[in-house]
Amino acid sequence: MHNNLLYIILPYTAFTIAVVFTIHRYRKDAFTYSSLSSQFLESKELFYGSVAWHFGVIGALAGHVIGFLLPSGVRWFNGVPVRLYILETTGLLFGLLALIGIISLVVRRATSSRVRAVTSKMDVVVVTLLLIQVSLGVYIAVFYRWGSSWYVTSAVPYLRSLWALQPDLKMIEPLPLVIKLHIVNFYLLLIVFPFSRLVHMLVIPLQYLWRPYQIVIWNWNRRRAQAHAPQPARQPAGVTSPADEAAAETQPVSVYTR
Amino acid sequence: MVFHLDKCIGCHTCSIACKNVWTDRKGAEYMWWNNVETKPGTGYPTAWEDQNKYHGGWEQNNGQPDLKMGRRELRVLNIFHNPHLPKLDDYYEPWTYKYEDLFDSPEGADQPTARPISMITGKYVDIEAGPNWDDDLGGSPVYAANDPNLDKLTEEERAQVFEIDKLVFFYLPRICNHCVNPACVAACPSGAIYKRGEDGIVLINQEKCRGWRMCVTACPYKKSYYNWSTGKSEKCILCFPRLETGQAPACFHSCVGRIRYLGGLLYDADRLLDALRVPDDKLVEAQREMILDPRDPQVREGALGNGIDARALEACERSPVYRYVKEWKMALPLHPEFRTLPMLFYVPPLLPVMAKSEDGLYDSSNAELFSPIEKARLPMKYMASLFAGGNQDLVRYALKKQYAVRLFKRLDTVGDMDAAAVKRALEQLNMTEEEAEQIFRLTALPLFDERFVIPPSHREQALQMLNDDMWAEKGGAGFGFREAPVRGA
Ligand code: SF4
Ligand code: SF4
């Protein structure tokens, strides 16, 4: 019974809460979507903590996601022992990086009075859950070897069965307690996700890589004004043509400024 | 915008007006969207002009302008830790006093005092810096002596600046320059910062800002600030709610010295890239080239065709900024070499040596008309480093013009000048008597609406653009947050 509760009801509830409230928060309160960086108040220790944590956790998370999406690919990759060793070591390194990172972030938050001033109760909850999650992950990686292989043959089928709305607990029931804890704690993280600073991971600014540097926004209805304005017989030298601008509304154009 | 530095009395009224309206809030205590610095001095945040330290502004990479903070990809990679972010201590730790202690302390042998406490941690602090720590050359051996602009001077010239009987300083009020090529916009990974087309105001969309802090580094003037409480960056908004209702921004309106001018400038944004390709000492002229004459029929036609409102054009014709910057060439941008094409221009201050004392005698005779300018107490090199990318001729011209106007008016009102010499002075600068008179009027006796010629904002067009039922907005609040600007969990 409690298996059903923890591995079927909990994940569906957590997932629903995460999705519904994240969207709700974005629509009602986009202002609160922020990295909430405290680098301005304390920068030196943040460097080691934040860089290690973020790269570590992104690597570890990416591993889990790849396993979920391409289980057969991972199995095929691990078919050659050398490749398996490499994958295992990489995963462990990412985990350790994340663990070192989060520990130093916790120490920093506890010791810097300025950073404490911007620490909320939810931050404490989140950091506790993350610390548990990462510690369990590293413990599992060390003591239950070849995780990259058994993850795709036990946990992934279970997760995929959830996704297919046909929950099947066969594969995870025999798993050791630590691994089960790791799974349940993940659901807890999903639940707090929309109510915590974790939402900042949804607004990673990748679009910056291809957008033009400058952004100009008009409040005037320039198309309407152009339609009404006396049409110039020819374009005066050096002034952007209206047609060009209609095409590129966000490009810098001839404007006046104060 | 033009700030006439010869008129600034360093009263900080502007800063206080701004603080009371916009930054008197948690997380913004340390921000001074308008601040007034003493020059020579290191300013606020300390040594902000030193881009080897702060990595702000643009630089040329094989003729291609790019941000000094590094390549585009770095802005995304560095969101976890921005290596060049100024820290709180580069500004100062905001504080207040524990005033309750004055009333609540138990009776004792000593007078109770109100000790300073941090507005961040609430703990007692030793005040080590403030927003205006080196005001009026306070602590000049530490602060003024470290002014980055002095680096360009020889030992001798440096010594001269600090010679006790020649000691000299002036005030430099600073706000966001609402640049044509804003580094803050270019650096924002979220695309939250934008320039408004109609009036060029640079704004941060608070709902889109995610606190990645890149603008703080990118702005070479350090006029974008990180609110440590809300986790969003903020900057001067040029009081746009006031401007849209035809009022001057608070700092302009309250300026005691009446040094501030505001008006429209038309410019040709297509010349931007060309203007950015020239060497430092040509930048001021390149920027002037971009500015168009609102009376030129071709320009008018083009502007109307581009959707610029006719009444806005009319306001541009009366713009005091156009006169100072383009017609009279008296106003210069601050640090053009940062290449953001700042739209705030400064008339440099006249600091002439009017007389010298020798053997206890005070001699105020000047053989050469312009010798007070040539012998100015702050070396021309220093001024050129501030306002002209090192081009001393431009500063000299602006100062001589101011001086010639004085000679002209002295002849006019006191009459104890050699008329031929004054005429020669005007001719040397290619200026007519009418122009001298106009400069005098706009400098010394301008009325309120001559200083501030605010083009209409036409917010009704913005409403129309929404394609909504116009009447739905009737009676609605004009502006502001639809959600409280409070920190998320
Ligand atoms: S001065 Fe203003 S517009 Fe220019 S880069 Fe700085 S914040 Fe941006
Ligand atoms: S209010 Fe005007 S005169 Fe006073 S410090 Fe500010 S700019 Fe200068």
Side-chain angles (χ1 to χ4, degrees):
Chain A
M1 177 57 217
H2 84 263
N3 269 356
N4 285 352
L5 189 71
L6 285 179
Y7 304 113
I8 300 176
I9 300 177
L10 180 63
Y12 283 122
T13 322
F15 187 74
T16 316
I17 290 180
V19 172
V20 171
F21 284 94
T22 303
I23 295 175
H24 177 77
R25 176 167 170 184
Y26 194 83
R27 294 179 51 174
K28 286 300 270 203
D29 215 1
F31 184 84
T32 61
Y33 273 68
S34 163
S35 64
L36 294 182
S37 163
S38 54
Q39 188 189 354
F40 180 67
L41 301 174
E42 196 292 322
S43 179
K44 236 185 244 129
E45 288 173 40
L46 180 79
F47 172 75
Y48 301 103
S50 173
V51 174
W53 159 252
H54 281 102
F55 283 111
V57 81
I58 288 172
L61 214 63
H64 287 72
V65 172
I66 293 172
F68 177 78
L69 295 176
L70 301 166
S72 48
V74 175
R75 264 202 307 272
W76 166 83
F77 184 87
N78 284 346
V80 181
V82 190
R83 296 203 294 226
L84 172 66
Y85 302 151
I86 293 178
L87 192 63
E88 287 283 303
T89 329
T90 323
L92 181 62
L93 283 180
F94 276 126
L96 283 174
L97 203 59
L99 186 64
I100 295 169
I102 196 158
I103 290 175
S104 68
L105 287 177
V106 170
V107 172
R108 164 177 178 270
R109 232 164 235 278
T111 50
S112 159
S113 58
R114 283 182 187 172
V115 181
R116 264 212 313 277
V118 290
T119 303
S120 69
K121 289 199 189 82
M122 188 47 99
D123 291 345
V124 179
V125 174
V126 166
V127 99
T128 314
L129 289 178
L130 286 176
L131 194 60
I132 294 174
Q133 190 69 347
V134 177
S135 314
L136 287 173
V138 170
Y139 182 89
I140 292 166
V142 173
F143 293 100
Y144 297 92
R145 243 181 292 156
W146 321 132
S148 58
S149 280
W150 60 250
Y151 165 65
V152 292
T153 48
S154 60
V156 168
Y158 154 67
L159 290 171
R160 291 187 141 220
S161 74
L162 284 179
W163 183 248
L165 300 180
Q166 285 162 341
D168 177 3
L169 305 188
K170 252 194 339 280
M171 301 303 284
I172 56 156
E173 262 160 4
L175 288 181
L177 181 67
V178 258
I179 301 177
K180 286 182 170 167
L181 279 177
H182 191 69
I183 296 175
V184 171
N185 196 54
F186 169 67
Y187 298 145
L188 295 183
L189 273 166
L190 269 186
I191 293 178
V192 296
F193 182 87
F195 310 104
S196 69
R197 60 164 64 207
L198 288 178
V199 290
H200 76 278
M201 75 170 76
L202 295 177
V203 288
I204 295 173
L206 291 178
Q207 72 279 10
Y208 179 70
L209 294 174
W210 48 85
R211 80 156 162 86
Y213 264 160
Q214 296 298 358
I215 302 177
V216 175
I217 295 180
W218 286 81
N219 278 323
W220 286 352
N221 191 340
R222 296 170 62 240
R223 286 209 185 88
R224 181 179 313 203
Q226 280 158 20
H228 288 253
Q231 284 304 315
R234 62 190 161 72
Q235 274 305 301
V239 177
T240 327
S241 89
D244 290 354
E245 283 170 27
E249 195 65 12
T250 56
Q251 292 302 307
V253 286
S254 307
V255 292
Y256 73 82
T257 189
R258 295 176 206 282
Chain B
M1 302 176 284
V2 165
F3 288 3
H4 198 307
L5 294 186
D6 211 36
K7 302 206 282 172
C8 179
I9 58 173
C11 61
H12 301 276
T13 310
C14 45
S15 308
I16 298 299
C18 177
K19 168 115 308 221
N20 281 337
V21 180
W22 299 118
T23 58
D24 190 10
R25 297 172 277 129
K26 185 170 179 198
E29 313 90 343
Y30 83 95
M31 295 180 200
W32 293 85
W33 294 355
N34 180 112
N35 75 304
V36 183
E37 294 171 5
T38 303
K39 280 279 159 197
T42 47
Y44 156 91
T46 310
W48 61 270
E49 293 158 285
D50 183 357
Q51 302 311 344
N52 292 329
K53 174 174 180 198
Y54 288 111
H55 297 257
W58 299 82
E59 62 184 7
Q60 296 278 77
N61 277 337
N62 313 323
Q64 231 13 63
D66 206 344
L67 293 175
K68 196 173 165 72
M69 52 194 297
R71 293 186 331 183
R72 194 183 270 265
E73 302 77 57
L74 287 180
R75 240 95 60 218
V76 177
L77 279 178
N78 286 344
I79 55 178
F80 308 131
H81 184 274
N82 171 359
H84 308 305
L85 183 77
K87 321 292 159 0
L88 180 69
D89 294 317
D90 290 316
Y91 304 80
Y92 69 103
E93 180 156 3
W95 74 89
T96 180
Y97 295 91
K98 224 174 163 200
Y99 293 108
E100 314 89 89
D101 284 359
L102 295 181
F103 304 99
D104 305 344
S105 301
E107 210 177 308
D110 306 309
Q111 284 277 12
T113 50
R115 284 175 64 190
I117 48 172
S118 161
M119 289 173 90
I120 294 176
T121 60
K123 299 205 168 99
Y124 290 120
V125 282
D126 285 326
I127 304 170
E128 273 164 6
N132 220 10
W133 214 233
D134 55 347
D135 204 20
D136 292 351
L137 290 187
S140 53
V142 191
Y143 295 101
N146 284 321
D147 183 329
N149 298 290
L150 296 171
D151 292 352
K152 310 206 167 68
L153 307 187
T154 61
E155 271 309 309
E156 209 176 311
E157 287 167 321
R158 282 175 75 103
Q160 233 174 45
V161 174
F162 294 107
E163 229 172 86
I164 199 74
D165 57 341
K166 281 191 183 168
L167 208 61
V168 59
F169 63 81
F170 65 93
Y171 300 106
L172 182 70
R174 300 201 300 120
I175 66 173
C176 164
N177 297 289
H178 298 279
C179 307
V180 171
N181 185 34
C184 56
V185 176
C188 175
S190 311
I193 317 185
Y194 61 100
K195 192 168 176 67
R196 297 213 300 190
E198 314 80 52
D199 50 19
I201 299 178
V202 176
L203 293 174
I204 304 180
N205 182 338
Q206 292 286 297
E207 285 186 15
K208 276 176 99 181
C209 171
R210 306 285 174 227
W212 304 126
R213 324 170 292 294
M214 296 299 155
C215 55
V216 182
T217 302
C219 172
Y221 302 93
K222 292 292 161 278
K223 281 293 166 191
S224 182
Y225 302 86
Y226 181 71
N227 182 317
W228 55 266
S229 174
T230 61
K232 304 268 163 164
S233 294
E234 299 178 9
K235 62 180 283 302
C236 158
I237 59 175
L238 205 63
C239 289
F240 72 83
R242 290 176 59 94
L243 278 175
E244 286 174 5
T245 49
Q247 309 169 71
C251 58
F252 284 72
H253 195 128
S254 62
C255 176
V256 173
R258 304 186 178 185
I259 78 155
R260 299 181 176 216
Y261 299 82
L262 187 130
L265 282 184
L266 291 168
Y267 62 81
D268 181 357
D270 283 352
R271 292 189 206 167
L272 177 68
L273 278 180
D274 291 334
L276 288 175
R277 287 210 179 91
V278 303
D280 285 354
D281 59 345
K282 296 276 183 311
L283 273 167
V284 175
E285 280 147 320
Q287 190 179 3
R288 269 189 202 144
E289 275 302 300
M290 281 178 72
I291 298 170
L292 305 170
D293 180 357
R295 291 197 180 81
D296 179 338
Q298 279 202 351
V299 171
R300 287 186 60 88
E301 222 178 305
L304 285 172
N306 275 334
I308 308 277
D309 186 85
R311 272 172 299 170
L313 265 184
E314 188 266 332
C316 289
E317 280 178 27
R318 291 185 289 119
S319 166
V321 180
Y322 183 77
R323 315 211 83 179
Y324 273 119
V325 174
K326 179 96 177 185
E327 265 180 59
W328 299 336
K329 301 185 173 27
M330 290 171 75
L332 304 163
L334 178 62
H335 285 300
E337 75 277 12
F338 297 160
R339 290 172 189 271
T340 61
L341 298 189
M343 271 296 172
L344 164 53
F345 301 86
Y346 292 89
V347 178
L350 266 182
L351 298 160
V353 180
M354 297 304 288
K356 53 182 183 294
S357 74
E358 231 164 88
D359 302 332
L361 284 179
Y362 192 69
D363 175 13
S364 66
S365 61
N366 276 312
E368 289 291 320
L369 263 184
F370 285 123
S371 69
I373 303 293
E374 296 299 346
K375 286 189 296 197
R377 286 181 289 174
L378 268 174
M380 208 54 74
K381 236 192 246 174
Y382 177 84
M383 291 299 209
S385 148
L386 266 175
F387 298 114
N391 189 331
Q392 298 182 37
D393 292 340
L394 295 175
V395 182
R396 206 172 277 125
Y397 181 80
L399 291 176
K400 279 186 176 173
K401 219 159 179 179
Q402 276 188 67
Y403 197 66
V405 172
R406 291 195 186 190
L407 297 176
F408 172 74
K409 283 316 281 185
R410 174 140 186 153
L411 174 68
D412 189 25
T413 53
V414 186
D416 63 344
M417 306 281 307
D418 174 5
V422 172
K423 204 164 168 227
R424 253 200 336 274
L426 294 187
E427 269 164 15
Q428 253 186 44
L429 300 167
N430 271 331
M431 109 203 236
T432 60
E433 293 195 354
E434 295 81 75
E435 187 178 321
E437 185 63 36
Q438 282 172 4
I439 296 176
F440 166 71
R441 300 266 336 162
L442 197 59
T443 304
L445 306 168
L447 298 175
F448 193 86
D449 32 351
E450 288 166 340
R451 279 186 282 141
F452 312 124
V453 184
I454 302 167
S457 287
H458 292 299
R459 294 299 289 172
E460 72 284 0
Q461 293 197 7
L463 276 183
Q464 280 162 13
M465 272 171 76
L466 297 175
N467 282 334
D468 286 349
D469 174 16
M470 279 276 282
W471 303 111
E473 302 290 333
K474 195 175 166 211
F479 66 93
F481 277 97
R482 276 161 294 160
E483 51 195 75
V486 287
R487 181 186 180 86

